[in-house]
Structure formats: C-alpha cells, structure tokens
Amino acid sequence: MQKIGVFVCHCGTNIAATVDVKAVAEALKGEPGVVFSTDYQYMCSEAGQNLIKNSIKEYGLTGVVVCSCSPRMHEQTFRKAAQSAGINPYMVEIANIREQCSWIHKDIWSATEKAIILGKAAVAKVQLNAPLTAGESPVVKRALVIGGGIAGIQTALDIAEAGFEVDIVEKQPTIGGKMTQIDKTFPTLDCAACILTPKMVDCAQNEKIKIYSYSEVADVKGFVGNFTVKIKKKARYVDEDKCTGCGICTEKCPVKNVPNEFNMGMDNRRAIYIPFAQAVPKVATIDANYCNMLKNGKCGVCSKFCTVGAIDYKQQDTIVEEKYGAIVVATGFNPIKLDDFDEFAYSQSKDVITSLEFERLTNAAGPTSGTLLRPSDGKHPHTIVFVQCVGSRDTSGCGKTYCSKICCMYTAKHAMLTREKYPDTDVYVFYIDVRTPGKNFDEFYRRAVEEYGVHYIKGMVGKVVPRSDGTLMVQASDLLSNEQLHINADLVVLAAAIEPDKSARSLATMLTASMDTNDFFTEAHPKLRPVESPTAGIFLSGVCQGPKDIPETVSQASAAAAKVIGLLAKDKLTCNPCVAQANELMCNGCSSCEKVCPYGAITYSDKEFRMPDRTTAIRRVASVNEAVCQGCGACTVACPSGAMDLKGFSNSQIMAEVDAICK
Amino acid sequence: MQSEMIKRAKELLASGEVARVVGWKAGEFDYDITPGVFTTAEELDSAFLYNDLCEANLSKYMIAQSRKEGKTLVFLKPCDTYSFSQLLKEHRILRENVYVIGVPCDGKVDVDTVKATGLTGICSMTSDGETVTVKTLYGDSTMSKADAMSERCINCKSKKHVVYDELLGEEGDVVADNHRFDMVEKIEAMTPDERFEFWRNELSRCIRCNACRNVCPACSCEKCVFDNEQSGAFNKGASDSFEENMFHIIRAFHVAGRCTDCGECSRVCPQNIPLHLLNRKFIKDINELYGEYQAGENADERAPLNTFTTEDVEPSIVYERGGKQ
Ligand SMILES: Cc1cc2nc3c(=O)[nH]c(=O)nc-3n(C[C@H](O)[C@H](O)[C@H](O)COP(=O)(O)OP(=O)(O)OC[C@H]3O[C@@H](n4cnc5c(N)ncnc54)[C@H](O)[C@@H]3O)c2cc1C
Ligand code: SF4
Ligand code: SF4
Ligand code: SF4
Ligand code: SF4
Ligand code: SF4
C-alpha cells in the first residue's frame, strides 16, 4: 500500500469558484492509502511546490496526487518537485479538475462531485504506479522544412545560419511559393521579386541547405530528434546536375499550348519549362502530360538542342531516405476555387479575375508584361470593381467562415497602384469591413481613399452579369446610403479566400500533427506555443498555420527556426519512460502489435520456455526497443491476450481508475 | 473420398514423411463425429472417417501438433484452410511441420438443424450426399441434405482451398453470392432497444462452458484474458448476467479482423447461441469501412484493423454510421 498525499489546487478562482476544493480534499482523505490531504491556492507556485516537498518528508509519502489543471500544464512541475524531495517523479499523478471540470461546469455541486471522482481515480492509479527511470536518445542534427515558400525559405536560412544542416522539400519545380507571383507588396510597395529573389539565391548557395525541388514527402517514421523521412523526387526528365538553365529547350519545344500556371493560366508555356527567370533551382522540367516524346515517343527536340545532354526521357521517380531531428511544416496556401460562386460570373467571363491573377496582369514578367489589359480583348479597362471577402467570412456554406486576413490590404494595394499608374481609371472597392490592424496598415488604406480617390463602398456585390458589349454589369448594394448600385465595369477583381494547400491533410496524418476543421495546422498552445505543433519535433511556419501576410509569415518562420535550433543544439533528449513491455509468458508472437506500431519499435525472437510438463518449447515472442517506443499504446490495444502493457498506463492502472469512477 | 484419404495417409505414414495424421473419427454418438489423431495404419483403417457429418475444423489443432517431433498430416476442408492460413499469418503454426491435404466439401449435415425440424430421440444419422436418413427411437425418417445443413454451410463462402500441399478431389471456387449478412442486416435494422433485447435474450442462455472460445481458431492465445487474474477481464461472467454478456463482446472484439467466419463457435455452443452474428457484424463493418476483406484468404496481406493508411475512413464517418442506428 502506498502512502499517498493529495493536494487540491484552487487555481485562484479558476477552480475554486466552481469546485468546493475543501470538500474535495476532505472527501479524498478517506480513500485507501491517503495519509494526507489538503488544499492550497496555487499549487504551482513556489509555496505550493514546497508544500508538496515538505509533506513528502513529513508524512513519508510514496505517492502524490495533485488535483489541478491539465497535466500538459504542470505535470512536469510537480514531478520535479516530488523528485527533489526524494521520490520517483513517476509516482505523481494529476487529476485534471480544471479543464475537465471547473471550466466546463457551472453547478458547484455537480462539479465538486466530479472533482472528487477524478481525484479518486488518480488515487486508485497511484496505488499501482511503479518508479520509472527515463533513458536518453540522441538528436539527429539536421532539420527538414516541408514547403519552400517565403516561410520555408526564412526558416531554412535561419537554421542554416545557426550552423545546422537543413533540407527543403518543395513540390513545385522551384522554391519561392506565392510570393513569386506577387508584384508589389503592401504596406511598403517594394517589389516582391526584389526582396524574395536574393533569399532564394541564398538558399541555393548556402552549403548547409539542400533543396529537393519537385519533390514530396512520401513517408515519415520516428519521433522527435530521430525522424526517418522518405522523400519522393518526382521525375523531371532533366538531369538537375547537368542542366545549366540556359533555356534553349524551352524555346525549341514544339508544344506551345500548355497553360502557364505561373501566370495563372493566362498565357502558355512549352512542355519543357522553367517556371520563371529567377527560379531556384534554375533547371528545366518536362511536363509529362504534354511532352510528345513521353506521350508517344515522337519528338526528342529538346534533347537535340541541349548542349550538355541533360535531357533524360527515361528518368524515374526516386525515393531518398534521410534522417532529421526536427520537421518544419511550411506548406502555405492557395486561393479557393470559385466554382461555387456563380453570381460573380467567374467562369463565364474572362474579365472576372482573382486577385492573384490581377497580380500577374500588373507584373512585368506577367502575360501582359505589366500593362494592365483586359484578358478578353487586351484593351485598357476604365472601370474596375474590386470585391472583397469572396468566400471569406462566409457562413452560407459555399466558402470559409474565417477571415483570410490579407485581402483588405492587397485590395487597397491593387486599387492604389491602379489609380497611380492609370489615373483615368475609376476604381470601386466593395467591402464588408476594412480590417487594417497592422503597423502602417491603416495609413496605407487611408492613402488609397484620401490620396488616390478609390471609391470604397460598404456593401455586397449581388451579381455580375456579362453584357453583349463586353462590359460587366455589377449589381450591388451600398449599405451606408442604402441604395442599389449598377456599375458598368470593364474588369472585376475577386479577392478570393485562401485555404491551406490540399496536400496538408495527408501530410498531417503522416506527421501525426493535428489540424483544425479548416485544415490549418494547430499549434501546441494558441498563445504560448504558437510555432510548435502538439506533436513533439514538428514545428509550424507560415500560412499553413493560419492566414498571414509576409511580415507575419517571416516573423513566425524565424520563431519556428529558433525553436528548431534550440532542439538541435541538444545532444540528447530525455526519453519517455512510459514505454510498452511484452510479457513473454503470455505473448503469442502473433505480430498484431508489430503491425500497428507506428515507430517500428517491436521485434521478435524465438525463445525457449519451460512447459508445465517439464518439457521445453520454442516460442516466438515480442520485445520492445525502449529507445524507439514512444509510449503511444497502440500495441497494447491490438494485443488480444493483454501480453503487451504500457508502463505508467498499464491495463490494470486504467482498470483501477475506471473502477474508482464507477464505484 | 474416405478410402482415398486413408490410402494417402497410410502412404505418408509408411514413407516416414509424416509421424501422425489428424482427421475425424466417431464420437460418443455416431452422429457426433470428433477430431482424432492416428499414428498407425491399423488405427486409420478401424476409426478414420470422412463423410457429410465431419463438421469440425481441424486447423487449430495444428498449433500444438506442429510443435511435435516429426510432421503432422492434416485434412482440411476449404473453409478450414482459411483458419489455417490465418493462424500461419499470426505465426501460430510452424508450417514446415505440417502436411496439408485439402479435401472437398459440399456442405455438412448438422444435428442441431435436424433437431430443429422437430425430431427427437435421434440415435444415428447417415447421408448419401442427397438424402439424410435419421434413425430415432420413434422410427426412421428422411430429409433432403439441404434441409439438414447448418446455416454456415448453406451460406458457404468458399469451396476453394487457400493453402495445401496436396489436393484430393475437385477444387472449387469462392462463393461470391452467399447470403451470410442477411441476418446481420436484420439486426442492424432493429431499434437500439430491440437489438439490446435480442442480444440480452440470446446471451442470457450462455452457461460459460467456454466451448466457443476453446474451439475458435482465432482464440489461440497462450493465456486468454479470461483466464488471467491480472487482466481485469478475468472471470467476466461469474458476477452477474451483464458481465457475462461482456465475455462475448470482448471476445468478438479480440477476434475482429481475424475471424474467418468458420462458424465453429456457433456450432459447438450447447445453448445454440448465434455467436457468428457478432463476428459477422464486424466482418460486414470492415468490408464497408475499409474495403472487402476476408481473413485468412491471403497470409501475406495486411489486415485492415492493424494496417494504417492515409485513406482510412475518418472517425467521424464511423461515428455517423454508428449514430444512425
Ligand atoms: C493576391 C495576393 C496578394 C498578396 N499580397 C501581399 C502583399 O502585398 N504583402 C504581403 O505581406 N502579403 C501578401 N500576400 C500574402 C503572401 O502571399 C503570403 O503571406 C505568403 O506567400 C505566405 O508564404 P508561405 O510560405 O506561408 O506560403 P506559400 O507562399 O503558399 O508557400 C508554400 C510553399 O509550399 C509548397 N508546398 C505546399 N504543399 C507542399 C507539400 N506537401 N510538399 C512540398 N511543398 C509543398 C508550395 O508549393 C509553396 O511553394 C498576398 C497574397 C495573395 C493571394
Ligand atoms: S507503445 Fe507500442 S505501438 Fe506505441 S510505440 Fe511503443 S511499442 Fe510501438
Ligand atoms: S500482440 Fe500480444 S500476443 Fe501478439 S505478438 Fe504482440 S505482445 Fe505478443
Ligand atoms: S469467432 Fe467463431 S467463426 Fe470466427 S474464427 Fe472463431 S470460431 Fe470461427
Ligand atoms: S478471448 Fe481474446 S484473449 Fe481469450 S483466447 Fe480469444 S483472443 Fe485470446
Ligand atoms: S459455447 Fe455457448 S454456452 Fe459456451 S461459453 Fe460459448 S456462448 Fe456460452
């Protein structure tokens, strides 16, 4: 029988306002093994911790139950306190009477009753706790960054700067992400390429950084400090080491009608292409969907013209396996598809475009070489209507419920730049609210209105109707003057909501990292741990975690890098001693556990056993590699006979808790 | 078929290829045919049987037999080979110590089915493949074999052997259009209360003889949780009838994804509890949620319940379905 001390925390009023903490301490006094039970205002404070330490000494406690907040908050704190008073840290159990009790109940009587039950379960568990000792595991001093947008680039550069090796896996042929497609950037209006390109080049030239472009993560195994990742390098049919990026192939290729994704399909590229002039790596890629040679073996032009013999029509996808200590997710975003927004006539008229398409129409490297022309007839638009919040803040079910955060600012940017370059153009912006809470942001927006004469109208666009004369009839309501408006526009620009990259969900599954219902990665704590995923060793950078502009993306990217550097700077990590263990006498050797173990921690061996009739039998039995096991418990559930058990969370401990609750 | 089998068994014994033979022999009643081990030609001649009454699945015996000195010859019907192959997959049988002869089966006659027609005082039963003749204390009666077959044979899932060293007779095919899930569907259509009532009623008859577990090829644990004082499931059943029902539910979970639907559990139950329906519900759910899967069909294939893929159904879908019923 253990000698157990119970400590009930008030957490100020967080717990004490809804739970009668004195009654809880009193009730738990009667539980088997409890020799001391008390309550205190803040158990995590120094005085609170001293209360635990002193009680351990005074009453000779062998086990401690703290009824307080979630173990994620303070389990470590209380374990350390117990350890410093001379008992094994794993003899401490937490009953979560805050998140799981006081915060979710209103009625004092029932909350108190529940707190007592939770306390009883923890006492019952401690009875069966055994001292555990944690081992250590080494840290692989290399990081992986998934996604090579500005977020991934910044994170990689910072990690490399600290002296650690870092690999970037980017699924496109070049790194750079959406920022490569943007023309000028708010709030300073400097050109995106001018500030991004040097960083892309830095990545390429930094000897600590390795770029896997046109590649994807195929498989992730392992755990913090020790991930094994399979990277699929997709066949680009060009030898990256030989190609000099001269581009002759992209001029000679006879297939000229491939929609150019860099320019949002508004012009064409060849079947062999380099996305844009500043691409990194500057290497050509063959689009297998269009290449004649790959489709029917008839062509081979590019190979004839390539002076270095880089073209390789036989190239295959290859898998590279690498080990990493930390993984950063930086998979970014995409504008949503506008198929569900018929009212804006996006699919009917070429002159209804998205904001990202607008960026390309104003960019010197874009389809119109930077002159703003209507996609339908190449004429100058004289009236432009911008519509904000297309699919953002939308509760109708067509779009996203959240605010995409960047649209107010880039629309102001677009409107302002249009008025500056083409003062003869009338510019209207329809908005629900204008949200500009960033440094110099509101000043930026006011300039658009006050200095550039952009017509900002609070109201919704109900319908856009293409007319026979080529113009667009925009029907809208002005909410402030309460009137219906009809504007004859030449161009309509939709600020489409942004959403996480579609690949994010399967990636999250591979990484066992959690996501919210919108498929944005969730952080370990929204305020205090914003760049870490709840899964140890996985970090978040950029828009994959939530909508952000470039300044915010870059600061988050550097923050994630700092966390990674902190991890990689360690030589060893303390392992979790709550690992699985197979009882060989009961093990059938059936392999159920091995098949479910996500970490590959279970192996088998044939062992000799003495049988009841004095004979011996050779049986196949499981054993767990403690350095690899992460204590997830999957195996213990898969094992039919109960031979597999988890230290610190044994079947009997959990049963004891359940029994205590049901008593 | 019987004489052919005896002939092959004798040859293999004589050549020293195998040390013993596992087959069928008469039991306490002559319609009650039981598994038997034969080590000599004489034993085979005098006791070995193979006829329409040989229902028992012999695969599970191979766990112990394959660990003995020398090889063991076992005769397996098509459905038995699925159990055998599942046991191979779970590393329970040492394949190199077993010689499998696949034998054909066109459905077995089941004494419980015959009794259910109202016949009592049964002394013996014989079948000529078409007609079953039943001798009772009150006179003889005959019925067509189809009427005397158990449900599992009427809804036979396969006449194909999935593993063997040698085949006797004609090889058959997988039976795709069986109706084995009809009753599961009926139970699914019940209201939760009706369903609870249905199972409470069925399971209330259980006498905890453990026959179902002991015969089950999936229940091959070195130490079953129900026999393990430390397991927390020990002796489920002794305290009250609800606990007792838990035995079946826990067992169904343990064999989920591994049960080949051999039907032995329901066959041996002295209380005629339709245990196979629990297992079939799992099989049906697995088919629907993870794609068609037949345990034992392929010893190398990974089982859906312990394979993880990014295409797996989301828990929400499972909840949705679970909630609907
Ligand atoms: C029209 C428009 C105008 C904008 N204008 C401005 C502006 O003026 N100023 C400003 O501050 N912000 C602006 N923004 C916002 C800015 O684009 C983003 O803040 C920034 O691009 C976010 O960078 P990121 O790296 O997080 O994401 P991205 O730029 O989306 O980069 C993600 C990268 O990850 C790659 N990737 C995705 N999934 C995978 C995978 N599974 N495996 C490997 N690689 C993967 C993608 O190919 C991409 O290269 C604008 C946005 C839009 C849409
Ligand atoms: S608890 Fe089991 S399944 Fe989980 S990592 Fe450890 S051995 Fe593998
Ligand atoms: S699941 Fe259980 S019985 Fe099977 S190998 Fe693992 S520990 Fe042994
Ligand atoms: S549960 Fe029944 S049907 Fe399934 S394998 Fe066991 S005995 Fe056969
Ligand atoms: S009931 Fe479970 S523990 Fe018992 S023998 Fe069957 S599978 Fe093994
Ligand atoms: S065979 Fe029938 S009576 Fe016996 S334990 Fe199983 S269900 Fe109960």
Side-chain angles (χ1 to χ4, degrees):
Chain A
M1 177 78 82
Q2 309 280 6
K3 288 165 94 178
I4 300 167
V6 176
F7 303 87
V8 185
C9 183
H10 300 203
C11 194
T13 53
N14 271 311
I15 294 172
T18 337
V19 169
D20 181 347
V21 283
K22 295 232 180 302
V24 176
E26 199 51 42
L28 295 178
K29 261 184 195 148
E31 284 302 289
V34 175
V35 295
F36 175 70
S37 179
T38 189
D39 60 284
Y40 189 73
Q41 213 166 13
Y42 287 107
M43 281 311 300
C44 58
S45 68
E46 198 174 341
Q49 293 185 47
N50 284 337
L51 180 61
I52 297 180
K53 293 182 201 167
N54 296 337
S55 311
I56 290 175
K57 290 181 190 134
E58 190 173 336
Y59 299 95
L61 301 181
T62 58
V64 168
V65 168
V66 189
C67 302
S68 60
C69 51
S70 158
R72 284 179 80 148
M73 278 308 286
H74 279 307
E75 188 172 56
Q76 281 303 331
T77 315
F78 299 129
R79 278 182 176 165
K80 276 191 194 137
Q83 191 171 25
S84 74
I87 68 173
N88 184 284
Y90 293 89
M91 297 306 292
V92 176
E93 286 297 330
I94 310 277
N96 181 352
I97 62 165
R98 194 178 77 174
E99 285 84 344
Q100 291 179 356
C101 189
S102 70
W103 277 0
I104 49 169
H105 296 294
K106 290 202 173 80
D107 172 47
I108 294 201
W109 188 84
S110 51
T112 305
E113 192 192 12
K114 181 169 170 186
I116 293 171
I117 291 172
L118 292 172
K120 282 183 180 170
V123 170
K125 187 178 177 204
V126 175
Q127 283 288 6
L128 301 173
N129 276 24
L132 300 175
T133 327
E136 286 183 328
S137 70
V139 178
V140 178
K141 299 201 175 259
R142 176 198 289 264
L144 171 67
V145 175
I146 307 171
I150 179 61
I153 290 175
Q154 186 63 44
T155 303
L157 285 172
D158 287 352
I159 296 172
E161 185 68 20
F164 296 106
E165 297 196 343
V166 48
D167 295 355
I168 300 177
V169 170
E170 166 58 59
K171 65 176 174 180
Q172 299 296 339
T174 172
I175 58 170
K178 243 57 74 200
M179 204 176 152
T180 59
Q181 293 174 287
I182 298 174
D183 183 39
K184 301 216 165 28
T185 54
F186 66 76
T188 45
L189 292 181
D190 36 3
C191 122
C194 313
I195 53 176
L196 176 64
T197 316
K199 282 191 186 286
M200 290 164 64
V201 175
D202 280 354
C203 278
Q205 289 175 348
N206 194 313
E207 56 188 25
K208 298 276 181 196
I209 300 181
K210 184 161 178 189
I211 300 171
Y212 290 96
S213 62
Y214 211 47
S215 300
E216 271 161 40
V217 170
D219 185 45
V220 180
K221 288 245 146 50
F223 49 92
V224 54
N226 214 329
F227 294 103
T228 305
V229 178
K230 287 202 178 111
I231 299 167
K232 183 169 100 185
K233 295 182 73 180
K234 295 178 277 187
R236 67 195 315 160
Y237 308 102
V238 173
D239 186 331
E240 279 181 51
D241 297 328
K242 288 187 189 157
C243 174
T244 59
C246 71
I248 183 94
C249 53
T250 68
E251 284 159 25
K252 301 293 177 190
C253 172
V255 184
K256 298 179 181 168
N257 59 346
V258 188
N260 182 359
E261 46 285 86
F262 181 62
N263 282 334
M264 306 305 291
M266 292 187 293
D267 64 356
N268 290 332
R269 60 163 170 82
R270 310 293 169 103
I272 185 164
Y273 67 109
I274 298 176
F276 49 92
Q278 303 90 338
V280 169
K282 195 162 182 200
V283 173
T285 304
I286 297 184
D287 188 334
N289 294 325
Y290 292 92
C291 168
N292 284 339
M293 189 66 183
L294 292 173
K295 271 162 59 187
N296 47 35
K298 292 192 196 106
C299 185
V301 168
C302 50
S303 152
K304 278 190 212 107
F305 281 97
C306 179
T307 51
V308 292
I311 309 287
D312 174 6
Y313 300 114
K314 298 225 157 51
Q315 207 176 65
Q316 300 277 319
D317 292 354
T318 47
I319 300 275
V320 186
E321 196 176 287
E322 273 291 357
K323 286 200 166 287
Y324 300 100
I327 298 178
V328 183
V329 187
T331 46
F333 72 100
N334 286 301
I336 60 167
K337 293 249 171 308
L338 293 178
D339 304 343
D340 283 344
F341 295 87
D342 285 342
E343 65 268 34
F344 298 124
Y346 178 72
S347 25
Q348 286 135 281
S349 168
K350 278 186 159 181
D351 297 331
V352 180
I353 61 172
T354 65
S355 302
L356 199 51
E357 288 164 0
F358 185 86
E359 293 279 352
R360 299 314 301 149
L361 282 184
T362 52
N363 188 285
T368 55
S369 306
T371 323
L372 181 57
L373 300 173
R374 275 159 49 106
S376 62
D377 53 12
K379 290 203 183 117
H380 257 301
H382 293 286
T383 307
I384 305 182
V385 170
F386 288 89
V387 187
Q388 292 194 176
C389 285
V390 176
S392 297
R393 305 169 69 194
D394 180 332
T395 45
S396 74
C398 284
K400 307 287 176 184
T401 50
Y402 52 84
C403 164
S404 295
K405 201 171 179 180
I406 51 177
C407 325
C408 287
M409 281 300 287
Y410 70 59
T411 302
K413 170 184 78 174
H414 294 161
M416 193 188 299
L417 290 171
T418 309
R419 289 282 300 158
E420 177 167 274
K421 232 173 149 185
Y422 311 101
D424 61 334
T425 312
D426 265 336
V427 175
Y428 296 89
V429 175
F430 284 91
Y431 66 95
I432 308 180
D433 298 295
V434 176
R435 299 178 162 180
T436 51
K439 188 170 162 185
N440 295 330
F441 280 19
D442 204 56
E443 294 86 330
F444 184 85
Y445 152 66
R446 282 210 310 271
R447 252 165 66 209
V449 182
E450 292 160 10
E451 287 176 34
Y452 289 89
V454 176
H455 309 299
Y456 265 80
I457 302 172
K458 183 176 176 79
M460 310 280 285
V461 170
K463 212 169 166 59
V464 175
V465 187
R467 300 193 341 168
S468 50
D469 66 355
T471 59
L472 297 156
M473 168 62 76
V474 178
Q475 298 173 11
S477 53
D478 180 337
L479 291 178
L480 295 182
S481 63
N482 204 4
E483 51 182 5
Q484 288 294 315
L485 298 177
H486 293 267
I487 299 171
N488 233 2
D490 300 315
L491 189 68
V492 171
V493 184
L494 306 176
I498 60 173
E499 64 181 359
D501 193 271
K502 290 277 183 243
S503 65
R505 180 152 282 276
S506 59
L507 191 64
T509 316
M510 266 190 258
L511 296 167
T512 64
S514 45
M515 299 191 121
D516 63 19
T517 47
N518 296 314
D519 281 6
F520 286 114
F521 282 86
T522 38
E523 52 282 0
H525 190 285
K527 286 155 249 170
L528 303 179
R529 294 171 68 197
V531 298
E532 290 157 87
S533 141
T535 306
I538 310 289
F539 301 88
L540 310 174
S541 174
V543 179
C544 69
Q545 178 259 346
K548 282 182 197 65
D549 54 25
I550 297 165
E552 234 187 308
T553 297
V554 171
S555 22
Q556 198 204 22
S558 290
K563 288 285 168 193
V564 171
I565 294 163
L567 169 62
L568 298 189
K570 292 185 182 134
D571 291 323
K572 289 205 182 313
L573 294 175
T574 309
C575 299
N576 169 14
C578 298
V579 290
Q581 195 176 31
N583 181 335
E584 293 179 344
L585 291 175
M586 288 179 351
C587 172
N588 307 321
C590 69
S591 280
S592 298
C593 52
E594 181 224 356
K595 292 200 183 100
V596 298
C597 177
Y599 301 96
I602 299 169
T603 50
Y604 290 88
S605 54
D606 290 326
K607 285 201 176 165
E608 204 173 282
F609 289 89
R610 231 185 250 258
M611 302 306 280
D613 55 357
R614 292 178 174 247
T615 56
T616 55
I618 309 256
R619 282 202 351 250
R620 177 187 145 95
V621 288
S623 62
V624 177
N625 180 341
E626 296 204 348
V628 180
C629 170
Q630 293 300 295
C632 71
C635 57
T636 67
V637 191
C639 176
S641 65
M644 195 57 95
D645 214 349
L646 197 59
K647 291 184 202 166
F649 291 94
S650 66
N651 292 334
S652 53
Q653 282 176 302
I654 288 165
M655 282 301 217
E657 286 186 278
V658 174
D659 283 345
I661 290 169
C662 299
K663 227 175 1 203
Chain B
M1 183 50 54
Q2 175 176 319
S3 53
E4 234 179 291
M5 287 157 72
I6 295 175
K7 180 168 157 270
R8 268 309 278 150
K10 282 193 204 159
E11 281 166 14
L12 287 162
L13 273 179
S15 71
E17 168 89 24
V18 302
R20 66 196 72 76
V21 178
V22 174
W24 297 267
K25 64 178 187 194
E28 205 168 326
F29 302 101
D30 81 339
Y31 55 77
D32 175 26
I33 293 180
T34 69
V37 182
F38 309 84
T39 49
T40 62
E42 293 70 43
E43 283 171 4
L44 284 166
D45 277 331
S46 64
F48 188 95
L49 284 177
Y50 187 64
N51 57 35
D52 276 353
L53 278 74
C54 293
E55 288 192 277
N57 172 351
L58 304 180
S59 58
K60 189 178 183 181
Y61 296 96
M62 291 306 112
I63 298 173
Q65 299 297 333
S66 74
R67 285 181 166 74
K68 290 188 175 159
E69 193 77 28
K71 264 195 179 188
T72 304
L73 162 64
V74 64
F75 290 103
L76 297 179
K77 297 177 273 108
C79 62
D80 304 344
T81 62
Y82 284 73
S83 309
F84 185 84
S85 140
Q86 180 64 26
L87 284 165
L88 285 180
K89 185 172 186 165
E90 294 173 10
H91 307 278
R92 301 296 286 144
I93 294 176
L94 304 181
R95 179 70 179 92
E96 60 280 13
N97 289 344
V98 186
Y99 192 88
V100 178
I101 296 187
V103 290
C105 169
D106 55 6
K108 297 297 173 200
V109 169
D110 177 57
V111 69
D112 290 324
T113 313
V114 172
K115 280 183 190 158
T117 65
L119 290 179
T120 52
I122 298 172
C123 310
S124 81
M125 272 173 22
T126 49
S127 161
D128 64 5
E130 302 281 325
T131 314
V132 175
T133 310
V134 186
K135 288 193 167 43
T136 78
L137 293 175
Y138 317 105
D140 295 359
S141 90
T142 59
M143 60 175 81
S144 85
K145 183 178 159 189
D147 294 334
M149 285 195 321
S150 66
E151 190 273 349
R152 66 168 172 171
C153 293
I154 293 166
N155 284 324
C156 176
K157 63 178 180 289
S158 177
K159 304 241 179 269
K160 184 180 150 195
H161 298 80
V162 291
V163 43
Y164 54 82
D165 294 302
E166 181 180 327
L167 276 182
L168 292 179
E170 291 256 312
E171 176 67 321
D173 263 326
V174 172
V175 187
D177 55 346
N178 59 55
H179 292 273
R180 60 191 178 124
F181 297 120
D182 287 4
M183 188 58 196
V184 178
E185 273 160 22
K186 272 192 203 138
I187 299 175
E188 282 172 345
M190 293 178 182
T191 65
D193 284 342
E194 285 167 355
R195 194 158 51 230
F196 187 68
E197 208 36 53
F198 171 87
W199 279 114
R200 286 287 276 171
N201 178 39
E202 291 291 350
L203 297 177
S204 69
R205 298 198 304 276
C206 174
I207 53 173
R208 269 314 287 278
C209 65
N210 283 338
C212 50
R213 179 199 66 184
N214 293 355
V215 79
C216 172
C219 275
S220 69
C221 293
E222 291 293 327
K223 193 169 183 88
C224 172
V225 290
F226 299 112
D227 298 339
N228 176 359
E229 287 172 53
Q230 253 100 61
S231 70
F234 178 63
N235 228 3
K236 279 266 178 245
S239 52
D240 64 46
S241 67
F242 192 80
E243 285 273 288
E244 181 161 296
N245 294 174
M246 290 305 287
F247 162 74
H248 296 286
I249 293 172
I250 294 173
R251 205 182 79 79
F253 268 99
H254 282 196
V255 302
R258 304 160 53 225
C259 162
T260 62
D261 197 14
C262 74
E264 285 289 270
C265 46
S266 293
R267 176 180 73 88
V268 298
C269 176
Q271 298 294 86
N272 292 327
I273 300 173
L275 295 160
H276 62 282
L277 293 175
L278 282 176
N279 309 313
R280 280 187 186 167
K281 167 67 177 155
F282 276 96
I283 297 173
K284 184 167 173 286
D285 280 354
I286 291 172
N287 285 346
E288 287 167 6
L289 294 170
Y290 302 103
E292 291 282 322
Y293 177 75
Q294 169 61 53
E297 189 164 40
N298 179 345
D300 303 321
E301 194 181 9
R302 280 185 70 155
L305 290 191
N306 48 25
T307 305
F308 170 75
T309 75
T310 42
E311 276 81 51
D312 276 351
V313 293
E314 293 289 325
S316 57
I317 293 174
V318 182
Y319 290 139
E320 249 168 52
R321 294 205 186 189
K324 212 164 54 183
Q325 289 150 21

